């Protein structure tokens, strides 16, 4: 299973773009990169995922490097409600998400 | 709106009690998972199931068992609850047809064993 490395914590000003990096240098060719977040005392919430191409949905954008060794989650206009722990997780053919420690993102007014 | 529903949000049980945590999903998903989450340790997989009556051990199955008699329901059983099983328990489900699909989580059950 691929391992990931994420910053322990980050701050971002409200209204600005939040860019969360993730290193997954051991990811294999068929593993998707998934991003989830967990707001305090709630279950994790799916944000976005991708394999090779950059992806965008109503919540965020995902930029994956060409060599697939790292990715960046972008929240374009962060709000206070985006304060959460963000997890970058490779998903392989066993359909099991292996969770790391994630990045604690704090949005400041 | 798709849903994974866990039977209790908060639960307090005594040491030695048999505890049932229930999880129901309405998305006709094949895969269902039970995790526990503890401060500093993140989410750890206890058991998962790929189909009815099928179960697989995760990373920390000791002290737990599971039951999947119907596709929509996945139960986690603590045969004899102990204080070190005090934790947040999270259930999830996903479609098995492809890796290109997300998992959906319940809101969690915060279990305290006294």
């Amino acid at each position: 299973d691929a391992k990931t490395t994420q910053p322990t914590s980050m701050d971002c000003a409200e209204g600005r773009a939040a860019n969360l990096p993730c290193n997954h240098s051991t990811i294999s060719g068929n593993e998707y990169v998934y991003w989830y977040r967990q707001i305090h005392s709630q279950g994790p919430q799916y944000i976005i995922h991708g394999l090779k191409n950059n992806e965008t949905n109503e919540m965020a954008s995902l930029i994956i490097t060409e060599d697939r060794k790292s990715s960046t989650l972008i929240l374009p206009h962060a709000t206070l409600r985006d304060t959460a722990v963000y997890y970058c997780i490779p998903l392989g053919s066993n359909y099991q998400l292996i969770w790391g420690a994630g990045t604690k993102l704090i949005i400041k007014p | 709106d798709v849903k994974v529903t866990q039977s209790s949000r908060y639960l307090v049980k005594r040491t030695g009690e048999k505890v049932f945590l229930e999880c129901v999903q309405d998305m006709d998903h094949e895969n269902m998972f039970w995790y526990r989450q503890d401060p500093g340790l993140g989410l750890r997989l206890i058991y998962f199931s790929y189909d009815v009556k099928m179960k697989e051990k995760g990373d920390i199955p000791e002290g737990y068992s599971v039951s999947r008699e119907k596709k929509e329901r996945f139960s986690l059983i603590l045969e004899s609850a102990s204080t070190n099983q005090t934790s947040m328990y999270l259930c999830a489900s996903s479609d098995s047809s492809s890796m290109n699909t997300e998992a959906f989580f319940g809101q969690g059950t915060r279990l305290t064993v006294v």
Side-chain angles (χ1 to χ4, degrees):
Chain A
D1 294 323
K3 299 289 188 288
T4 59
T5 304
Q6 297 180 255
T8 303
S9 64
M10 293 180 65
D11 293 345
C12 180
E14 188 179 18
R16 305 298 287 266
N19 296 275
L20 293 93
C22 179
N23 180 291
H24 35 78
S25 58
T26 60
I27 197 169
S28 63
N30 65 346
E31 286 182 314
Y32 283 76
V33 178
Y34 275 76
W35 283 81
Y36 285 79
R37 72 180 183 184
Q38 188 173 24
I39 296 169
H40 183 61
S41 294
Q42 296 183 22
Q45 176 191 23
Y46 165 80
I47 302 172
I48 199 167
H49 71 283
L51 184 61
K52 295 180 182 177
N53 300 321
N54 298 337
E55 303 286 345
T56 296
N57 63 19
E58 65 278 4
M59 287 183 69
S61 294
L62 175 61
I63 309 297
I64 302 174
T65 57
E66 196 170 334
D67 63 9
R68 300 207 337 116
K69 292 186 177 181
S70 65
S71 60
T72 301
L73 178 75
I74 301 171
L75 308 178
H77 304 287
T79 71
L80 298 178
R81 288 179 293 180
D82 291 322
T83 291
V85 179
Y86 287 75
Y87 298 94
C88 161
I89 310 167
L91 179 66
S93 56
N94 60 7
Y95 302 109
Q96 293 178 48
L97 298 165
I98 307 299
W99 299 74
T103 297
K104 185 172 185 178
L105 176 66
I106 299 172
I107 307 300
K108 298 190 172 182
Chain B
D1 202 17
V2 295
K3 266 192 176 173
V4 177
T5 304
Q6 294 183 230
S7 54
S8 303
R9 192 83 170 92
Y10 299 95
L11 211 52
V12 180
K13 294 292 182 179
R14 294 193 181 278
T15 300
E17 275 194 78
K18 191 169 186 176
V19 181
F20 293 86
L21 302 183
E22 306 287 349
C23 176
V24 177
Q25 50 97 1
D26 64 2
M27 295 163 281
D28 201 36
H29 284 165
E30 290 81 10
N31 300 334
M32 295 190 76
F33 306 85
W34 274 107
Y35 294 88
R36 65 177 281 177
Q37 185 173 28
D38 302 288
L41 295 176
L43 276 82
R44 293 179 292 166
L45 183 63
I46 305 172
Y47 267 98
F48 58 100
S49 169
Y50 288 143
D51 203 348
V52 175
K53 296 193 185 295
M54 293 186 70
K55 59 185 178 183
E56 298 286 342
K57 293 180 180 179
D59 299 320
I60 51 163
E62 296 78 19
Y64 304 93
S65 63
V66 290
S67 172
R68 185 130 182 239
E69 295 296 318
K70 293 184 178 181
K71 191 175 186 180
E72 67 270 18
R73 186 180 295 270
F74 193 34
S75 303
L76 180 69
I77 303 156
L78 287 65
E79 296 290 342
S80 177
S82 63
T83 54
N84 63 12
Q85 292 178 310
T86 290
S87 186
M88 168 72 94
Y89 289 88
L90 290 158
C91 174
S93 73
S94 70
D95 186 356
S96 69
S97 62
S98 139
M99 290 180 282
N100 189 16
T101 179
E102 68 265 35
F104 295 85
F105 282 81
Q107 286 301 295
T109 297
R110 188 165 293 281
L111 173 67
T112 302
V113 183
V114 298

